[in-house]
Amino acid sequence: MGLTGFTMLAGTTAWRQVIEGPKLAAKAQAERTVAWVNRAPRGDILGRDGTVLASSAVSYDIGVNQVKIAQYERIADSADSASGRADNEVIGHGAAAAAEQLAEILGVDAQELGAKMVGSSTYEVIAEAVPPDTWRRINALAIPGVEPDQRTRRIYPAGSVAGNVLGYTHEGEVRELIGSAGLELTQNEALTGTDGRGSVEIGKSGAIIPTGRQEEVPATAGTTVRTTINPDLQVIAQEAIDEVVKAQGADWGCVVVMEPATGKLLVLADSGAVDPSDPGATPEDSRNARSVQAIFEPGSVGKVITFAAALEEGTMDPEDTWTVPYTWTAANGQTFRDSHYHDTQTLTSAGVLAESSNVGTVQIGEQLDDEVRYNYLRRFGYGETTGIEMPAESAGMVSAVADWDDRTRYTTMFGQGIAGTALQAVQVLATVANKGVRIAPRVVDAWIDGEGNETPQETPAGQRVISEATAQTLTEMLIGVTQEGGTAEAASIDGYLVAGKTGTTEILTEDGTVASFVGFTPARDPAIAVAVIVYRPDGTYGGTVSAPVFRKVALAAMHTLGIAPDPSIIAAQAAAEADAAVEAAQAESADEGV
């Protein structure tokens, strides 16, 4: 060969060993390495009591490479009868042999399974949502061409309970779960975990090489989100609003229950709540939380703000009297009327509120400067979002004073010409209940990491809207709304004082009304504020449509929260009923005497 040729050959060999060798080895290793992703479980979503409302489960879709399966040989250990030596025996071939083994584990017919495994596809799904234990049994068979597709699926154990709050998810390009609505969307970053990975080396037969490189990096689960929602009360509220929407032939309805002092929402219920496991079964416009997104004119619920402003500014006292005709014309020529015909009355300010007189309200409201009333509308929360941890919250609509015309100047006094959400409506009454301090509502209570470390949600800073004295006076006036002669007797609860306000307003863009009742109880030591909204019911008034729903939900809340009836209230209510019975008997006797 010659010295020169030998030197060149030796150099080439060394170059291949030193330079190309590792590259070739790595390439060979890569070709025989099977890698996979360990999907991270998405964090749970819990009720305030720890009830699991949303969870995740890792499962596998099992696929087969039909080309590889065709080459499969099922081998069994055997022994030579003459020599006694161990030997291997081929006892089956191809898809039929593989199907026979897999069918027993999957609990399916072997012939039907085998038919799915014949063809030229490099990946054909033969089983979906297989649990990890089942996949481990399949994997132990070491059948070449049987390949897992690990997936994380979202589970909603409570069905549609709080479905419009929870939202739902969809799968991304690499099988990751992504929030599409509700808390699944707004808390997506926290709920999303970190995927792990794994890999093994396999031989030509498809079996794992025991001495080969193996790697396993576990996944890190996402953060758990605990909500403020009380699941039991949420169920009651959902059933109650569904029932009234159906009975009234309404378009939709919602119920919001809030702790005035903390802003925590115990209930955020929408009629026809979506089942997050199957969102496609619910019409698209009903999958979100109308309680947070849909706006409407608050109607007479808006009178609470007018009365609060008049009390705070000192332009009215509860005992002041007003001459209230059925119709009344303002100095600018605008005429207003009450909802029901009546002769001219003399009413106190408290009586105007209890009877929900539009005529009396505009007389009280015109004592205030327009800019002052506008500022109170904003201070009570209309025209701005609350910041709740829900997507697409609406701020409502409150026009600047400069944009008010001669009529709007007055209609804003009784809740028309402005618009807001059910969440904003409950916030108004919750502010009165909380001694005049507005606390922003929230639905997330805490975040809990994989180690169990809890990060509580901070209580929002309160904003003083009216004085404590004004709030106390207004509370007593609002109690009158639910007493005999008020517009919301149907909201009264035996053993508890209820303060609240009915609302009825015409929908300007279509025929129909919005019937509402918003209130709080126990009125003098409030635990909850509740808003009930029914959109386009057959009935007209909030006192007859929405107040009974309030009563059902509020009474359930008292039982759930362990708040016992007040004996003094029970006695007073019994005495009032006895007096009413006596008066009725006397009236009947007088009629008979005539």
Side-chain angles (χ1 to χ4, degrees):
M1 175 181 287
L3 183 59
T4 301
F6 179 79
T7 302
M8 290 178 63
L9 178 60
T12 300
T13 302
W15 182 82
R16 288 177 175 173
Q17 291 177 337
V18 176
I19 306 299
E20 283 292 293
K23 292 183 179 180
L24 293 172
K27 181 180 179 182
Q29 186 180 61
E31 289 176 347
R32 64 175 180 265
T33 296
V34 174
W36 61 87
V37 174
N38 288 324
R39 300 291 178 196
R42 191 170 174 84
D44 291 347
I45 302 179
L46 312 177
R48 67 185 301 161
D49 60 355
T51 298
V52 177
L53 301 176
S55 188
S56 296
V58 174
S59 63
Y60 295 84
D61 289 350
I62 309 300
V64 296
N65 183 323
Q66 294 174 337
V67 177
K68 286 187 177 180
I69 286 291
Q71 303 169 15
Y72 172 57
E73 292 184 342
R74 183 179 180 185
I75 299 174
D77 293 334
S78 61
D80 187 290
S81 56
S83 63
R85 290 181 301 175
D87 197 2
N88 293 326
E89 179 184 0
V90 176
I91 60 173
H93 298 272
E100 185 179 355
Q101 293 175 277
L102 295 173
E104 182 179 352
I105 297 174
L106 294 173
V108 297
D109 181 78
Q111 290 186 342
E112 292 181 4
L113 181 61
K116 293 181 181 180
M117 299 168 67
V118 176
S120 57
S121 173
T122 56
Y123 189 78
E124 181 72 21
V125 176
I126 61 170
E128 294 183 338
V130 169
D133 285 347
T134 301
W135 162 243
R136 281 191 284 270
R137 291 175 61 194
I138 292 173
N139 191 42
L141 297 175
I143 300 174
V146 176
E147 302 167 359
D149 181 8
Q150 189 183 46
R151 301 173 66 180
T152 302
R153 288 178 167 84
R154 206 62 167 150
I155 300 170
Y156 299 92
S160 65
V161 175
N164 298 65
V165 179
L166 301 174
Y168 42 89
T169 63
H170 69 276
E171 277 192 338
E173 294 183 357
V174 292
R175 297 291 200 191
E176 78 279 22
L177 291 179
I178 302 172
S180 300
L183 292 178
E184 293 280 24
L185 175 58
T186 64
Q187 303 299 301
N188 186 66
E189 184 176 350
L191 291 166
T192 301
T194 303
D195 289 341
R197 64 184 184 276
S199 64
V200 294
E201 290 184 53
I202 60 174
K204 292 182 179 181
S205 67
I208 296 174
I209 301 174
T211 57
R213 181 179 177 182
Q214 298 187 27
E215 183 180 25
E216 187 72 32
V217 177
T220 301
T223 297
T224 290
V225 175
R226 187 175 69 230
T227 70
T228 61
I229 297 296
N230 182 304
D232 292 338
L233 198 55
Q234 179 81 17
V235 170
I236 293 170
Q238 282 186 205
E239 291 177 349
I241 197 64
D242 280 339
E243 182 179 327
V244 75
V245 165
K246 181 179 180 181
Q248 288 286 332
D251 287 2
W252 56 268
C254 58
V255 178
V256 183
V257 180
M258 175 178 169
E259 291 180 347
T262 67
K264 294 181 180 181
L265 296 178
L266 281 67
V267 168
L268 195 60
D270 287 87
S271 61
V274 64
D275 182 347
S277 299
D278 186 18
T282 301
E284 187 173 355
D285 61 355
S286 296
R287 296 176 197 167
N288 296 312
R290 287 193 175 99
S291 49
V292 174
Q293 298 179 13
I295 64 172
F296 52 89
E297 290 186 331
S300 293
V301 172
K303 291 174 183 174
V304 175
I305 299 176
T306 299
F307 278 74
L311 286 168
E312 187 75 4
E313 297 297 318
T315 62
M316 176 207 76
D317 287 324
E319 297 79 16
D320 290 345
T321 58
W322 308 85
T323 300
V324 183
Y326 170 59
T327 62
W328 178 83
T329 301
N332 65 5
Q334 296 294 319
T335 298
F336 302 92
R337 61 175 48 85
D338 283 335
S339 59
H340 298 85
Y341 176 79
H342 59 81
D343 294 331
T344 298
Q345 301 172 296
T346 298
L347 296 175
T348 64
S349 301
V352 170
L353 185 61
E355 296 190 15
S356 199
S357 168
N358 291 339
V359 169
T361 299
V362 294
Q363 292 182 61
I364 292 169
E366 74 166 358
Q367 309 300 313
L368 294 162
D369 181 77
D370 290 345
E371 198 69 43
V372 170
R373 287 195 305 104
Y374 171 82
N375 289 336
Y376 276 94
L377 287 168
R378 295 302 303 265
R379 287 164 66 179
F380 270 98
Y382 279 93
E384 65 179 59
T385 57
T386 67
I388 190 174
E389 310 90 338
M390 292 287 289
E393 182 190 5
S394 174
M397 295 187 296
V398 180
S399 301
V401 172
D403 296 326
W404 291 0
D405 58 24
D406 286 347
R407 189 161 189 82
T408 304
R409 184 201 171 211
Y410 285 94
T411 61
T412 52
M413 299 175 187
F414 52 83
Q416 295 180 14
I418 64 173
T421 64
L423 193 63
Q424 289 172 321
V426 80
Q427 188 176 231
V428 171
L429 272 293
T431 298
V432 178
N434 195 40
K435 302 178 180 180
V437 177
R438 175 162 66 94
I439 305 291
R442 56 199 175 103
V443 73
V444 172
D445 192 44
W447 295 269
I448 307 168
D449 67 20
E451 303 298 320
N453 300 311
E454 186 172 311
T455 303
Q457 170 81 282
E458 294 183 6
T459 300
Q463 177 184 346
R464 170 68 63 184
V465 177
I466 53 177
S467 69
E468 184 173 343
T470 294
Q472 183 176 356
T473 300
L474 186 54
T475 294
E476 295 302 317
M477 295 173 71
L478 290 168
I479 289 172
V481 174
T482 66
Q483 302 300 299
E484 184 178 357
T487 59
E489 291 184 51
S492 63
I493 306 173
D494 291 344
Y496 305 89
L497 277 182
V498 174
K501 187 70 192 75
T502 54
T504 306
T505 185
E506 293 184 0
I507 303 170
L508 298 180
T509 56
E510 53 190 326
D511 292 336
T513 63
V514 178
S516 59
F517 180 83
V518 189
F520 54 89
T521 195
R524 294 179 182 137
D525 187 18
I528 57 168
V530 183
V532 179
I533 312 298
V534 182
Y535 195 84
R536 294 185 69 210
D538 290 338
T540 301
Y541 300 105
T544 55
V545 174
S546 300
V549 178
F550 168 91
R551 181 179 185 175
K552 182 181 293 185
V553 173
L555 181 58
M558 294 298 95
H559 293 163
T560 299
L561 298 175
I563 299 173
D566 185 334
S568 65
I569 301 301
I570 294 176
Q573 289 173 337
E577 290 175 2
D579 290 344
V582 170
E583 290 179 6
Q586 290 174 342
E588 183 179 352
S589 177
D591 290 341
E592 291 175 354
V594 172

